Amino acid sequence: MSSLLPADRSRLLIGGKQVEGADGVFATVNPATEEVLGLAADANAADLDAAVDAARTAFDETTWSRDHAFRARCLEQLRTALQSHVEELREITIAEVGAPRMLTGGPQLEGPVADLGYSAGLAETYDWETDLGVAEPMGIKTRRVLRREPIGVVGAITPWNFPHQINFAKLGPALAAGNTVVLKPAPDTPWCAAAVGAIIAEETDIPAGVVNIVTSADHTLGARLTADPRVDMISFTGSTATGRAVMTGAAATLKKAFLELGGKSAFIVLDDADIAAACSVAAFSVCVHAGQGCALSTRLLVPRAAYDRAVQAAAATLGGIRPGDPADPRTICGPLISERQRARVERYLDIARTEGGRIVVGGGRPAQHERGFFIEPTLIADVPNSATVAREEIFGPVLVIIPHDGDEDAVRIANDSPYGLSGSVWGTDPERIRRVTEGVRTGTLSVNGGVWYSADVPFGGYKQSGLGREMGVAGFEEYLETKVIASPA
Protein backbone atom coordinates (compact mmCIF):
# COMPACT_ATOMS: atom_id res chain seq x y z
CA MET A 1 0.00 0.00 0.00
CA SER A 2 1.35 3.40 -0.97
CA SER A 3 0.59 6.64 0.86
CA LEU A 4 -1.63 9.30 -0.64
CA LEU A 5 0.86 12.06 -1.26
CA PRO A 6 -0.22 15.69 -1.70
CA ALA A 7 0.61 15.30 -5.40
CA ASP A 8 -2.07 12.60 -5.71
CA ARG A 9 -4.66 15.11 -4.58
CA SER A 10 -3.70 17.70 -7.20
CA ARG A 11 -4.16 15.60 -10.32
CA LEU A 12 -7.03 14.62 -12.55
CA LEU A 13 -7.80 11.04 -13.54
CA ILE A 14 -8.32 10.87 -17.30
CA GLY A 15 -7.96 7.77 -19.42
CA GLY A 16 -6.34 5.82 -16.62
CA LYS A 17 -3.61 8.38 -16.02
CA GLN A 18 -3.14 11.01 -13.33
CA VAL A 19 -2.55 14.27 -15.14
CA GLU A 20 -2.26 17.94 -14.25
CA GLY A 21 -5.09 20.35 -14.88
CA ALA A 22 -4.74 22.47 -18.00
CA ASP A 23 -5.65 25.58 -15.98
CA GLY A 24 -3.10 24.83 -13.27
CA VAL A 25 -4.29 24.53 -9.69
CA PHE A 26 -6.69 26.12 -7.23
CA ALA A 27 -6.72 26.21 -3.45
CA THR A 28 -8.81 24.04 -1.18
CA VAL A 29 -9.57 25.54 2.22
CA ASN A 30 -10.13 24.16 5.72
CA PRO A 31 -13.55 25.54 6.74
CA ALA A 32 -12.75 25.23 10.44
CA THR A 33 -9.65 27.42 10.25
CA GLU A 34 -9.99 29.29 6.92
CA GLU A 35 -6.44 28.17 6.14
CA VAL A 36 -5.40 26.86 2.73
CA LEU A 37 -4.88 23.11 2.93
CA GLY A 38 -3.19 22.81 -0.43
CA LEU A 39 -3.81 22.76 -4.14
CA ALA A 40 -6.12 20.82 -6.44
CA ALA A 41 -5.95 20.30 -10.18
CA ASP A 42 -7.92 22.91 -12.09
CA ALA A 43 -9.41 21.34 -15.20
CA ASN A 44 -10.74 23.28 -18.15
CA ALA A 45 -13.04 22.44 -21.05
CA ALA A 46 -10.28 20.60 -22.93
CA ASP A 47 -9.66 18.35 -19.91
CA LEU A 48 -13.37 17.58 -19.65
CA ASP A 49 -13.50 16.80 -23.35
CA ALA A 50 -10.61 14.35 -22.94
CA ALA A 51 -12.35 12.72 -19.97
CA VAL A 52 -15.61 12.26 -21.87
CA ASP A 53 -13.73 10.89 -24.85
CA ALA A 54 -11.89 8.39 -22.63
CA ALA A 55 -15.16 7.26 -21.05
CA ARG A 56 -16.82 6.92 -24.45
CA THR A 57 -13.95 4.86 -25.81
CA ALA A 58 -13.83 2.60 -22.75
CA PHE A 59 -17.54 1.89 -23.02
CA ASP A 60 -17.61 1.35 -26.78
CA GLU A 61 -14.37 -0.55 -27.28
CA THR A 62 -13.80 -2.72 -24.18
CA THR A 63 -15.64 -5.65 -22.61
CA TRP A 64 -16.31 -3.68 -19.39
CA SER A 65 -20.05 -3.38 -20.05
CA ARG A 66 -20.45 -7.14 -20.61
CA ASP A 67 -18.13 -8.74 -18.05
CA HIS A 68 -20.21 -8.77 -14.87
CA ALA A 69 -17.79 -10.87 -12.82
CA PHE A 70 -14.85 -8.63 -13.68
CA ARG A 71 -16.77 -5.53 -12.65
CA ALA A 72 -17.68 -7.13 -9.35
CA ARG A 73 -14.05 -8.03 -8.72
CA CYS A 74 -12.90 -4.49 -9.53
CA LEU A 75 -15.43 -2.97 -7.13
CA GLU A 76 -14.40 -5.33 -4.35
CA GLN A 77 -10.78 -4.46 -5.11
CA LEU A 78 -11.60 -0.75 -4.90
CA ARG A 79 -13.38 -1.22 -1.58
CA THR A 80 -10.40 -3.07 -0.13
CA ALA A 81 -7.94 -0.46 -1.38
CA LEU A 82 -10.00 2.39 0.05
CA GLN A 83 -10.23 0.62 3.39
CA SER A 84 -6.46 0.28 3.48
CA HIS A 85 -6.23 4.08 3.13
CA VAL A 86 -9.12 4.87 5.46
CA GLU A 87 -7.11 6.82 8.03
CA GLU A 88 -5.58 9.08 5.37
CA LEU A 89 -8.99 9.58 3.77
CA ARG A 90 -10.47 10.32 7.18
CA GLU A 91 -8.02 13.16 7.83
CA ILE A 92 -8.59 14.59 4.35
CA THR A 93 -12.35 14.48 4.89
CA ILE A 94 -12.25 16.15 8.30
CA ALA A 95 -9.95 18.89 7.06
CA GLU A 96 -11.53 19.59 3.68
CA VAL A 97 -15.23 18.98 4.38
CA GLY A 98 -15.25 20.12 8.00
CA ALA A 99 -16.97 16.81 8.73
CA PRO A 100 -17.02 15.87 12.41
CA ARG A 101 -14.71 12.93 13.11
CA MET A 102 -17.62 10.99 14.59
CA LEU A 103 -19.36 10.95 11.19
CA THR A 104 -16.38 9.51 9.31
CA GLY A 105 -17.03 6.15 10.96
CA GLY A 106 -20.43 6.21 9.24
CA PRO A 107 -21.93 8.14 6.32
CA GLN A 108 -19.02 10.52 5.77
CA LEU A 109 -16.54 7.76 4.85
CA GLU A 110 -16.51 4.21 6.18
CA GLY A 111 -20.19 3.50 5.48
CA PRO A 112 -20.17 4.38 1.78
CA VAL A 113 -16.82 2.63 1.24
CA ALA A 114 -18.27 -0.57 2.70
CA ASP A 115 -21.38 -0.11 0.56
CA LEU A 116 -19.31 -0.71 -2.58
CA GLY A 117 -19.59 -4.37 -1.63
CA TYR A 118 -23.36 -4.17 -2.12
CA SER A 119 -22.87 -2.81 -5.64
CA ALA A 120 -20.31 -5.52 -6.39
CA GLY A 121 -22.80 -8.15 -5.29
CA LEU A 122 -25.49 -6.75 -7.58
CA ALA A 123 -23.14 -6.97 -10.58
CA GLU A 124 -22.94 -10.74 -10.06
CA THR A 125 -26.40 -11.64 -8.79
CA TYR A 126 -28.72 -9.33 -10.73
CA ASP A 127 -31.04 -11.01 -13.26
CA TRP A 128 -29.69 -9.45 -16.42
CA GLU A 129 -32.06 -11.45 -18.62
CA THR A 130 -35.67 -12.47 -18.09
CA ASP A 131 -37.46 -15.01 -20.26
CA LEU A 132 -40.91 -13.62 -21.00
CA GLY A 133 -41.99 -16.91 -22.50
CA VAL A 134 -43.66 -17.70 -25.80
CA ALA A 135 -46.60 -15.78 -27.23
CA GLU A 136 -48.28 -15.55 -30.63
CA PRO A 137 -48.70 -11.89 -31.51
CA MET A 138 -50.40 -11.60 -34.89
CA GLY A 139 -50.30 -15.40 -35.08
CA ILE A 140 -46.49 -15.57 -35.07
CA LYS A 141 -45.13 -17.91 -32.40
CA THR A 142 -42.38 -15.88 -30.70
CA ARG A 143 -40.07 -16.23 -27.71
CA ARG A 144 -39.40 -12.92 -25.94
CA VAL A 145 -36.39 -12.13 -23.78
CA LEU A 146 -36.06 -8.96 -21.69
CA ARG A 147 -32.45 -7.87 -21.30
CA ARG A 148 -31.08 -5.12 -19.02
CA GLU A 149 -27.98 -3.31 -20.29
CA PRO A 150 -25.89 -0.34 -19.14
CA ILE A 151 -26.87 3.10 -20.36
CA GLY A 152 -23.36 4.09 -21.49
CA VAL A 153 -21.35 7.10 -20.36
CA VAL A 154 -22.57 8.60 -17.09
CA GLY A 155 -21.74 12.17 -16.12
CA ALA A 156 -21.82 12.39 -12.31
CA ILE A 157 -21.98 15.84 -10.70
CA THR A 158 -21.71 15.83 -6.92
CA PRO A 159 -21.88 18.33 -4.02
CA TRP A 160 -19.57 19.03 -1.11
CA ASN A 161 -21.59 18.11 1.98
CA PHE A 162 -21.14 14.31 1.98
CA PRO A 163 -18.62 13.86 -0.85
CA HIS A 164 -17.67 10.22 -0.30
CA GLN A 165 -21.21 9.06 0.33
CA ILE A 166 -22.56 10.74 -2.77
CA ASN A 167 -19.56 9.97 -5.01
CA PHE A 168 -19.74 6.26 -4.15
CA ALA A 169 -23.54 6.18 -4.31
CA LYS A 170 -23.07 7.11 -7.98
CA LEU A 171 -19.83 5.31 -8.83
CA GLY A 172 -20.83 2.01 -7.20
CA PRO A 173 -24.10 1.30 -9.02
CA ALA A 174 -23.07 3.00 -12.27
CA LEU A 175 -19.94 0.85 -12.53
CA ALA A 176 -21.68 -2.31 -11.32
CA ALA A 177 -24.25 -1.80 -14.07
CA GLY A 178 -21.47 -1.66 -16.69
CA ASN A 179 -21.29 2.06 -17.40
CA THR A 180 -18.25 4.29 -17.61
CA VAL A 181 -18.18 7.50 -15.58
CA VAL A 182 -16.94 11.08 -15.68
CA LEU A 183 -17.12 12.42 -12.13
CA LYS A 184 -17.20 16.19 -11.62
CA PRO A 185 -16.99 16.83 -7.85
CA ALA A 186 -17.72 20.13 -6.13
CA PRO A 187 -14.91 22.74 -6.16
CA ASP A 188 -15.13 22.95 -2.36
CA THR A 189 -14.01 19.33 -1.82
CA PRO A 190 -11.69 18.33 -4.68
CA TRP A 191 -9.21 16.33 -2.59
CA CYS A 192 -11.82 13.82 -1.47
CA ALA A 193 -12.44 12.85 -5.09
CA ALA A 194 -8.86 13.20 -6.34
CA ALA A 195 -7.54 10.87 -3.62
CA VAL A 196 -10.02 8.23 -4.76
CA GLY A 197 -8.82 8.75 -8.33
CA ALA A 198 -5.24 8.04 -7.27
CA ILE A 199 -6.32 4.80 -5.60
CA ILE A 200 -8.27 3.71 -8.68
CA ALA A 201 -5.31 4.40 -10.95
CA GLU A 202 -2.64 2.81 -8.79
CA GLU A 203 -4.32 0.01 -6.86
CA THR A 204 -7.17 -1.43 -8.93
CA ASP A 205 -7.63 -3.22 -12.26
CA ILE A 206 -10.39 -0.85 -13.36
CA PRO A 207 -9.56 -0.30 -17.05
CA ALA A 208 -8.32 3.04 -18.34
CA GLY A 209 -11.18 5.40 -19.10
CA VAL A 210 -13.82 3.58 -17.08
CA VAL A 211 -13.57 6.14 -14.28
CA ASN A 212 -12.47 9.72 -14.96
CA ILE A 213 -12.34 12.37 -12.24
CA VAL A 214 -12.21 16.03 -13.19
CA THR A 215 -11.75 18.60 -10.42
CA SER A 216 -12.11 22.26 -11.29
CA ALA A 217 -12.87 25.67 -9.87
CA ASP A 218 -14.98 26.30 -12.98
CA HIS A 219 -18.66 25.68 -12.17
CA THR A 220 -19.56 25.81 -15.86
CA LEU A 221 -17.88 22.46 -16.54
CA GLY A 222 -20.91 20.75 -15.04
CA ALA A 223 -23.12 22.41 -17.64
CA ARG A 224 -20.75 21.32 -20.43
CA LEU A 225 -20.87 17.73 -19.15
CA THR A 226 -24.66 17.84 -19.05
CA ALA A 227 -24.93 19.09 -22.65
CA ASP A 228 -22.28 16.80 -24.18
CA PRO A 229 -23.96 14.46 -26.72
CA ARG A 230 -21.41 11.71 -25.95
CA VAL A 231 -22.79 11.48 -22.41
CA ASP A 232 -25.81 9.18 -22.13
CA MET A 233 -26.95 10.03 -18.60
CA ILE A 234 -26.45 12.74 -15.99
CA SER A 235 -26.56 11.81 -12.33
CA PHE A 236 -26.74 14.98 -10.27
CA THR A 237 -27.03 15.70 -6.56
CA GLY A 238 -27.38 19.29 -5.41
CA SER A 239 -29.79 22.16 -5.06
CA THR A 240 -33.19 22.19 -6.72
CA ALA A 241 -32.31 25.40 -8.57
CA THR A 242 -29.22 23.81 -10.14
CA GLY A 243 -31.21 20.63 -10.78
CA ARG A 244 -33.59 22.60 -12.97
CA ALA A 245 -30.63 23.86 -15.01
CA VAL A 246 -29.27 20.31 -15.31
CA MET A 247 -32.63 19.05 -16.51
CA THR A 248 -32.82 21.84 -19.07
CA GLY A 249 -29.30 21.12 -20.31
CA ALA A 250 -29.99 17.40 -20.59
CA ALA A 251 -33.14 18.03 -22.59
CA ALA A 252 -31.17 19.18 -25.64
CA THR A 253 -29.95 15.62 -26.22
CA LEU A 254 -32.86 13.90 -24.42
CA LYS A 255 -30.43 12.11 -22.13
CA LYS A 256 -31.65 10.59 -18.91
CA ALA A 257 -31.28 12.82 -15.86
CA PHE A 258 -31.25 11.45 -12.33
CA LEU A 259 -31.74 14.31 -9.88
CA GLU A 260 -31.39 14.11 -6.08
CA LEU A 261 -32.26 17.61 -4.93
CA GLY A 262 -33.25 19.68 -1.92
CA GLY A 263 -35.50 19.14 1.04
CA LYS A 264 -37.38 20.94 3.78
CA SER A 265 -38.44 17.88 5.68
CA ALA A 266 -40.92 17.84 8.54
CA PHE A 267 -40.36 16.29 11.97
CA ILE A 268 -43.92 15.55 13.12
CA VAL A 269 -44.56 15.13 16.84
CA LEU A 270 -47.98 13.70 17.68
CA ASP A 271 -49.76 14.63 20.90
CA ASP A 272 -49.26 11.16 22.42
CA ALA A 273 -45.46 11.35 22.07
CA ASP A 274 -42.95 12.28 24.72
CA ILE A 275 -42.83 15.91 23.61
CA ALA A 276 -39.56 16.87 25.30
CA ALA A 277 -37.70 13.77 24.11
CA ALA A 278 -38.92 14.08 20.52
CA CYS A 279 -38.08 17.79 20.30
CA SER A 280 -34.65 17.15 21.76
CA VAL A 281 -33.96 14.55 19.06
CA ALA A 282 -35.14 16.94 16.34
CA ALA A 283 -32.87 19.70 17.66
CA PHE A 284 -29.89 17.40 17.97
CA SER A 285 -30.26 16.00 14.45
CA VAL A 286 -30.37 19.43 12.79
CA CYS A 287 -26.94 20.19 14.29
CA VAL A 288 -25.22 17.12 12.82
CA HIS A 289 -22.60 18.31 10.32
CA ALA A 290 -23.86 21.86 10.95
CA GLY A 291 -27.18 21.06 9.32
CA GLN A 292 -25.59 20.50 5.92
CA GLY A 293 -27.71 17.56 4.86
CA CYS A 294 -30.57 17.58 2.37
CA ALA A 295 -32.50 14.87 4.26
CA LEU A 296 -32.37 16.52 7.69
CA SER A 297 -35.75 17.42 9.18
CA THR A 298 -35.63 21.19 9.58
CA ARG A 299 -39.32 21.91 10.27
CA LEU A 300 -40.44 20.75 13.71
CA LEU A 301 -44.24 20.36 13.82
CA VAL A 302 -45.61 20.09 17.35
CA PRO A 303 -49.09 20.02 18.96
CA ARG A 304 -50.32 23.55 19.55
CA ALA A 305 -51.21 22.79 23.17
CA ALA A 306 -47.61 21.72 23.81
CA TYR A 307 -45.97 24.49 21.76
CA ASP A 308 -44.30 26.38 24.62
CA ARG A 309 -43.02 23.16 26.16
CA ALA A 310 -41.70 22.04 22.77
CA VAL A 311 -39.93 25.36 22.19
CA GLN A 312 -38.30 25.08 25.59
CA ALA A 313 -37.10 21.50 25.00
CA ALA A 314 -35.71 22.21 21.53
CA ALA A 315 -34.01 25.39 22.72
CA ALA A 316 -32.37 23.59 25.63
CA THR A 317 -30.82 21.02 23.32
CA LEU A 318 -29.72 23.53 20.69
CA GLY A 319 -28.27 25.82 23.36
CA GLY A 320 -26.24 22.96 24.77
CA ILE A 321 -24.51 22.12 21.49
CA ARG A 322 -21.41 24.17 20.86
CA PRO A 323 -19.93 24.32 17.34
CA GLY A 324 -16.43 22.94 17.52
CA ASP A 325 -13.31 21.59 15.88
CA PRO A 326 -14.39 18.75 13.56
CA ALA A 327 -11.18 16.87 14.40
CA ASP A 328 -12.39 16.54 18.01
CA PRO A 329 -14.25 13.20 18.43
CA ARG A 330 -16.79 14.96 20.69
CA THR A 331 -17.86 17.49 18.04
CA ILE A 332 -21.33 17.18 16.58
CA CYS A 333 -21.66 20.57 14.86
CA GLY A 334 -18.63 21.63 12.87
CA PRO A 335 -18.26 24.59 10.51
CA LEU A 336 -20.20 25.42 7.40
CA ILE A 337 -18.28 24.66 4.23
CA SER A 338 -17.42 28.23 3.21
CA GLU A 339 -17.84 31.93 3.86
CA ARG A 340 -20.36 31.95 1.02
CA GLN A 341 -22.50 29.33 2.74
CA ARG A 342 -22.30 31.07 6.10
CA ALA A 343 -23.42 34.34 4.49
CA ARG A 344 -26.37 32.45 2.97
CA VAL A 345 -27.43 31.13 6.38
CA GLU A 346 -27.04 34.57 7.96
CA ARG A 347 -29.20 36.05 5.22
CA TYR A 348 -31.98 33.60 6.09
CA LEU A 349 -31.71 34.52 9.78
CA ASP A 350 -32.12 38.17 8.85
CA ILE A 351 -35.16 37.29 6.75
CA ALA A 352 -36.66 35.40 9.69
CA ARG A 353 -36.31 38.46 11.91
CA THR A 354 -37.80 40.72 9.23
CA GLU A 355 -40.79 38.40 8.82
CA GLY A 356 -41.51 38.44 12.57
CA GLY A 357 -39.73 35.28 13.61
CA ARG A 358 -38.35 34.92 17.12
CA ILE A 359 -34.77 33.71 17.47
CA VAL A 360 -35.13 31.64 20.65
CA VAL A 361 -31.52 30.52 20.80
CA GLY A 362 -28.48 31.02 18.56
CA GLY A 363 -28.79 33.26 15.54
CA GLY A 364 -25.19 34.39 15.18
CA ARG A 365 -21.53 33.45 15.05
CA PRO A 366 -20.14 31.69 18.14
CA ALA A 367 -17.91 34.03 20.13
CA GLN A 368 -15.36 31.31 20.92
CA HIS A 369 -14.38 30.93 17.24
CA GLU A 370 -12.52 33.91 15.79
CA ARG A 371 -11.85 31.96 12.61
CA GLY A 372 -13.75 29.29 10.77
CA PHE A 373 -17.17 29.39 9.13
CA PHE A 374 -19.22 28.59 12.22
CA ILE A 375 -22.86 29.39 13.02
CA GLU A 376 -24.61 28.83 16.34
CA PRO A 377 -27.34 26.18 16.42
CA THR A 378 -30.50 28.24 16.03
CA LEU A 379 -34.19 27.85 16.81
CA ILE A 380 -36.75 30.05 15.03
CA ALA A 381 -40.23 30.25 16.55
CA ASP A 382 -43.47 32.13 15.93
CA VAL A 383 -43.47 31.88 12.15
CA PRO A 384 -46.14 30.24 9.96
CA ASN A 385 -45.41 27.52 7.44
CA SER A 386 -45.63 30.21 4.74
CA ALA A 387 -42.55 32.01 6.11
CA THR A 388 -39.45 32.01 3.91
CA VAL A 389 -37.40 30.07 6.48
CA ALA A 390 -40.12 27.39 6.60
CA ARG A 391 -40.24 26.96 2.84
CA GLU A 392 -36.67 27.29 1.59
CA GLU A 393 -33.69 25.04 2.25
CA ILE A 394 -31.23 26.88 4.51
CA PHE A 395 -28.50 24.21 4.82
CA GLY A 396 -27.30 25.22 8.25
CA PRO A 397 -27.97 24.28 11.91
CA VAL A 398 -31.33 26.04 11.90
CA LEU A 399 -34.62 24.55 13.11
CA VAL A 400 -38.03 26.14 12.55
CA ILE A 401 -40.79 25.15 15.02
CA ILE A 402 -44.44 25.32 13.92
CA PRO A 403 -47.62 24.35 15.81
CA HIS A 404 -50.20 21.95 14.38
CA ASP A 405 -53.83 21.22 15.31
CA GLY A 406 -53.88 17.43 15.20
CA ASP A 407 -52.67 14.61 12.97
CA GLU A 408 -54.44 15.69 9.78
CA ASP A 409 -53.24 19.25 10.17
CA ALA A 410 -49.67 18.02 10.74
CA VAL A 411 -49.83 16.03 7.51
CA ARG A 412 -51.25 19.05 5.69
CA ILE A 413 -48.43 21.30 6.91
CA ALA A 414 -45.78 18.69 6.12
CA ASN A 415 -47.10 18.39 2.56
CA ASP A 416 -47.44 22.16 2.14
CA SER A 417 -43.94 22.37 0.70
CA PRO A 418 -42.38 22.23 -2.75
CA TYR A 419 -40.16 19.44 -1.40
CA GLY A 420 -40.75 15.84 -0.34
CA LEU A 421 -37.41 14.26 0.49
CA SER A 422 -37.51 12.90 4.03
CA GLY A 423 -39.11 13.33 7.44
CA SER A 424 -39.84 11.89 10.89
CA VAL A 425 -42.90 10.92 12.89
CA TRP A 426 -42.97 10.50 16.68
CA GLY A 427 -45.88 9.02 18.58
CA THR A 428 -47.08 5.91 20.41
CA ASP A 429 -50.31 4.80 18.69
CA PRO A 430 -49.35 2.50 15.77
CA GLU A 431 -52.58 3.16 13.88
CA ARG A 432 -52.19 6.92 14.08
CA ILE A 433 -48.54 6.64 13.02
CA ARG A 434 -49.58 4.48 10.06
CA ARG A 435 -52.13 7.06 8.89
CA VAL A 436 -49.59 9.87 9.16
CA THR A 437 -46.86 7.97 7.29
CA GLU A 438 -49.37 7.12 4.57
CA GLY A 439 -50.37 10.76 4.28
CA VAL A 440 -46.96 12.45 4.11
CA ARG A 441 -45.69 12.67 0.54
CA THR A 442 -41.98 12.14 0.96
CA GLY A 443 -39.34 9.64 -0.09
CA THR A 444 -38.16 8.41 3.32
CA LEU A 445 -39.67 8.57 6.80
CA SER A 446 -38.20 7.72 10.18
CA VAL A 447 -40.64 6.55 12.86
CA ASN A 448 -39.56 7.06 16.47
CA GLY A 449 -35.89 7.18 15.53
CA GLY A 450 -35.79 4.35 12.98
CA VAL A 451 -32.87 4.62 10.53
CA TRP A 452 -33.61 4.24 6.82
CA TYR A 453 -30.08 4.90 5.55
CA SER A 454 -28.54 1.70 4.15
CA ALA A 455 -26.96 0.46 0.93
CA ASP A 456 -30.04 -1.60 0.05
CA VAL A 457 -32.56 1.19 0.69
CA PRO A 458 -33.52 3.48 -2.21
CA PHE A 459 -33.22 7.19 -1.44
CA GLY A 460 -34.89 10.07 -3.25
CA GLY A 461 -37.86 12.35 -3.09
CA TYR A 462 -41.25 13.49 -4.29
CA LYS A 463 -42.02 16.76 -6.04
CA GLN A 464 -39.09 19.19 -6.34
CA SER A 465 -36.83 16.95 -4.29
CA GLY A 466 -35.84 15.14 -7.44
CA LEU A 467 -36.35 12.43 -10.03
CA GLY A 468 -35.47 8.78 -9.48
CA ARG A 469 -33.85 6.92 -6.61
CA GLU A 470 -30.26 6.42 -5.47
CA MET A 471 -28.99 3.24 -3.75
CA GLY A 472 -30.79 -0.08 -3.43
CA VAL A 473 -31.89 -2.11 -6.45
CA ALA A 474 -33.98 0.86 -7.61
CA GLY A 475 -30.86 3.05 -7.63
CA PHE A 476 -28.88 0.40 -9.52
CA GLU A 477 -31.61 0.14 -12.17
CA GLU A 478 -31.45 3.90 -12.77
CA TYR A 479 -28.23 3.13 -14.67
CA LEU A 480 -29.76 0.45 -16.94
CA GLU A 481 -31.57 0.41 -20.26
CA THR A 482 -34.25 -2.16 -21.14
CA LYS A 483 -34.01 -4.19 -24.36
CA VAL A 484 -36.46 -6.79 -25.62
CA ILE A 485 -35.35 -9.47 -28.10
CA ALA A 486 -37.95 -11.47 -29.99
CA SER A 487 -37.08 -14.69 -31.87
CA PRO A 488 -39.13 -17.33 -33.67
CA ALA A 489 -40.18 -20.07 -31.25
Side-chain angles (χ1 to χ4, degrees):
M1 180 190 75
S2 61
S3 295
L4 293 173
L5 301 174
D8 294 323
R9 308 168 200 168
S10 59
R11 291 177 184 159
L12 314 173
L13 177 61
I14 299 178
K17 298 179 180 179
Q18 289 187 271
V19 299
E20 296 180 354
D23 278 1
V25 293
F26 66 100
T28 185
V29 174
N30 184 328
T33 65
E34 304 182 41
E35 296 174 352
V36 172
L37 290 168
L39 302 174
D42 197 4
N44 65 10
D47 292 318
L48 182 68
D49 182 73
V52 174
D53 188 61
R56 186 79 261 168
T57 299
F59 184 81
D60 292 340
E61 299 181 10
T62 75
T63 61
W64 174 258
S65 65
R66 299 184 297 278
D67 194 336
H68 310 317
F70 177 60
R71 297 200 304 273
R73 183 170 69 80
C74 285
L75 283 168
E76 290 282 9
Q77 192 180 47
L78 175 58
R79 180 181 67 166
T80 299
L82 290 164
Q83 288 171 336
S84 72
H85 287 283
V86 72
E87 294 307 324
E88 293 169 274
L89 291 170
R90 192 188 317 281
E91 297 309 316
I92 290 171
T93 306
I94 292 167
E96 186 174 58
V97 184
R101 184 177 295 275
M102 61 175 288
L103 289 181
T104 62
Q108 277 287 9
L109 179 60
E110 292 188 48
V113 168
D115 289 349
L116 289 171
Y118 176 80
S119 294
L122 278 178
E124 289 198 291
T125 62
Y126 185 73
D127 291 330
W128 297 94
E129 286 195 356
T130 302
D131 188 346
L132 299 180
V134 175
E136 297 189 26
M138 294 177 286
I140 301 171
K141 197 172 184 180
T142 304
R143 177 169 295 281
R144 294 83 41 80
V145 174
L146 185 151
R147 182 179 296 166
R148 304 304 301 274
E149 297 179 344
I151 284 180
V153 175
V154 173
I157 304 172
T158 58
W160 43 260
N161 57 325
F162 283 79
H164 295 301
Q165 193 279 317
I166 299 169
N167 288 347
F168 294 141
K170 297 185 187 302
L171 286 172
L175 296 176
N179 300 284
T180 58
V181 180
V182 177
L183 172 62
K184 167 64 175 65
D188 303 272
T189 52
W191 275 6
C192 287
V196 173
I199 292 170
I200 289 172
E202 298 171 5
E203 301 183 38
T204 77
D205 295 324
I206 295 175
V210 167
V211 179
N212 305 272
I213 298 176
V214 181
T215 62
S216 178
D218 184 357
H219 289 270
T220 67
L221 287 193
R224 294 183 67 92
L225 184 62
T226 299
D228 196 308
R230 296 169 296 175
V231 175
D232 300 294
M233 174 182 175
I234 287 293
S235 183
F236 170 81
T237 297
S239 72
T240 295
T242 305
R244 292 190 188 98
V246 169
M247 196 171 182
T248 300
T253 52
L254 289 177
K255 60 169 59 73
K256 182 175 183 178
F258 165 81
L259 305 173
E260 196 273 285
L261 307 176
K264 194 70 181 180
S265 303
F267 192 113
I268 299 173
V269 182
L270 305 183
D271 61 15
D272 63 346
D274 182 331
I275 301 295
C279 292
S280 180
V281 170
F284 178 89
S285 65
V286 84
C287 295
V288 173
H289 192 31
Q292 297 172 118
C294 57
L296 295 175
S297 295
T298 53
R299 288 183 296 154
L300 176 57
L301 311 186
V302 301
R304 190 176 299 277
Y307 181 71
D308 290 342
R309 188 155 41 103
V311 169
Q312 184 179 16
T317 298
L318 288 166
I321 296 175
R322 299 281 184 257
D325 180 359
D328 186 334
R330 299 168 297 179
T331 294
I332 297 162
C333 183
L336 298 176
I337 189 66
S338 64
E339 175 57 40
R340 179 182 67 255
Q341 181 61 22
R342 182 170 62 180
R344 170 188 166 89
V345 173
E346 290 175 327
R347 179 174 62 82
Y348 275 110
L349 297 180
D350 288 341
I351 290 172
R353 295 182 180 99
T354 300
E355 293 184 349
R358 173 166 57 104
I359 306 297
V360 181
V361 66
R365 301 181 184 185
Q368 68 268 33
H369 292 289
E370 294 183 2
R371 296 183 65 79
F373 308 123
F374 294 95
I375 282 284
E376 294 172 317
T378 301
L379 179 65
I380 302 173
D382 302 346
V383 293
N385 194 55
S386 58
T388 302
V389 291
R391 303 201 66 78
E392 298 184 10
E393 188 174 40
I394 298 173
F395 234 57
V398 180
L399 183 64
V400 178
I401 187 166
I402 300 169
H404 68 75
D405 295 309
D407 299 3
E408 291 185 6
D409 191 47
V411 171
R412 179 192 63 79
I413 295 171
N415 288 338
D416 181 17
S417 170
Y419 300 109
L421 187 56
S422 192
S424 295
V425 180
W426 282 67
T428 57
D429 184 335
E431 182 58 27
R432 290 176 64 189
I433 291 172
R434 185 189 65 80
R435 288 197 298 268
V436 171
T437 58
E438 286 179 350
V440 178
R441 292 180 51 76
T442 192
T444 58
L445 276 170
S446 167
V447 174
N448 292 332
V451 179
W452 48 260
Y453 171 72
S454 182
D456 62 339
V457 174
F459 173 69
Y462 290 34
K463 299 183 282 186
Q464 293 184 36
S465 285
L467 298 173
R469 292 296 182 269
E470 196 149 67
M471 302 182 8
V473 174
F476 174 75
E477 290 179 336
E478 294 284 353
Y479 295 93
L480 296 175
E481 289 279 18
T482 299
K483 177 184 287 183
V484 173
I485 301 168
S487 306

